[in-house]
Amino acid sequence: MQQPNTTPSAGRVLVVDDDPTVAEVVTGYLVRAGHAVDRAADGPSALASAAGRWPDLVVLDLMLPGMDGLEVCARLRERGPVPVIMLTARGDEDDRVLGLEVGADDYVTKPFSPRELVLRVESVLRRTRPAGRAPGAPGPLAAAGLTLDTAARRATRNGSELALTLREFDLLAFFLRHPGRAFGREELMREVWGWDFGDLSTVTVHVRRLRGKVEEDPARPRLIRTVWGVGYRFEPDAAAGPEEDGHA
């Protein structure tokens, strides 16, 4: 029996996994943490469940029968924004990167600790909760034609709304708060993702996706620059030109 949502980060989570043991364990831990949980064993069932009751977050297995997790994630993204944590049993980095490329906000490799998964779910949900702006709090972030309302989690570029994932929004907000300063990928992972360790390709993929949405020419980025041997730097006032090293 599902318990009521009692924690500040509690929400409705859709768990999609064709392994009933994994699904049951994950569901049990999430319910005990105060979350409402819907379950699906394949892609079509997951899409039908989401259409009937839109989740706050999806825990999605990559390896599903018929329609795989990548396609499910892409179809969910077509319907609306929703955070996705991808589960994968594969050790191949290419599969993890593919998940991030289609819009997954995070991934966890099997076998995994259910407690760690719950912590990641709650971390993502906390970030998605719109927060009321306290009196005297800073207003929206703005630079280079970009405007971010962090309370409403809404981003625009030259007046047009941007379709950003959870992590893309957080990454862009971080860059706008720290213009002109270079950050390493380890530092970005710690400050934006809240992780002290992890696969740094996560940062690389998100920077590449973000460039595709905020740069005039993503192949020659001028706003989010690569700094050779360091990481990335946001240059809102830089003259148009290629990045320093031509790499990701």
Side-chain angles (χ1 to χ4, degrees), residues 9-71:
S9 61
R12 178 163 296 280
V13 180
L14 174 58
V15 175
V16 187
D17 199 306
D18 63 325
D19 185 328
T21 301
V22 172
E24 184 174 349
V25 169
V26 170
T27 297
Y29 272 82
L30 288 169
V31 168
R32 284 194 291 274
H35 304 282
V37 180
D38 295 319
R39 282 171 56 174
D42 55 42
S45 298
L47 296 176
S49 176
R53 188 159 49 184
W54 192 252
D56 297 308
L57 181 142
V58 180
V59 176
L60 178 61
D61 188 21
L62 176 63
M63 297 295 292
L64 293 171
M67 184 190 302
D68 66 18
L70 297 177
E71 185 174 354

Side-chain angles (χ1 to χ4, degrees), residues 161-175:
E161 189 155 2
L162 293 172
L164 301 180
T165 67
L166 168 73
R167 297 300 187 187
E168 289 166 357
F169 186 97
D170 290 343
L171 182 60
L172 183 57
F174 184 81
F175 279 138

Side-chain angles (χ1 to χ4, degrees), residues 113-226:
S113 161
R115 289 188 180 87
E116 179 188 352
L117 177 60
V118 170
L119 290 175
R120 292 204 182 189
V121 165
E122 293 181 341
S123 173
V124 171
L125 287 173
R126 277 194 298 271
R127 289 174 178 268
T128 63
R129 291 290 186 264
R133 187 173 293 126
L141 301 168
L146 299 167
T147 302
L148 271 69
D149 185 334
T150 55
R153 295 196 70 84
R154 182 173 182 267
T156 61
R157 177 174 178 266
N158 297 327
S160 298
E161 189 155 2
L162 293 172
L164 301 180
T165 67
L166 168 73
R167 297 300 187 187
E168 289 166 357
F169 186 97
D170 290 343
L171 182 60
L172 183 57
F174 184 81
F175 279 138
L176 263 66
R177 289 189 179 104
H178 303 90
R181 178 179 168 187
F183 293 93
R185 291 190 297 171
E186 296 91 342
E187 192 171 7
L188 288 171
M189 178 162 283
R190 184 173 61 252
E191 296 296 332
V192 177
W193 277 258
W195 305 343
D196 290 324
F197 61 90
D199 185 349
L200 295 180
S201 66
T202 299
V203 177
T204 304
V205 170
H206 278 80
V207 168
R208 184 162 62 244
R209 284 179 56 86
L210 187 56
R211 282 170 168 167
K213 297 178 180 181
V214 304
E215 298 281 1
E216 291 288 345
D217 181 1
R220 295 169 61 84
R222 71 181 186 88
L223 293 176
I224 304 174
R225 302 279 187 121
T226 298

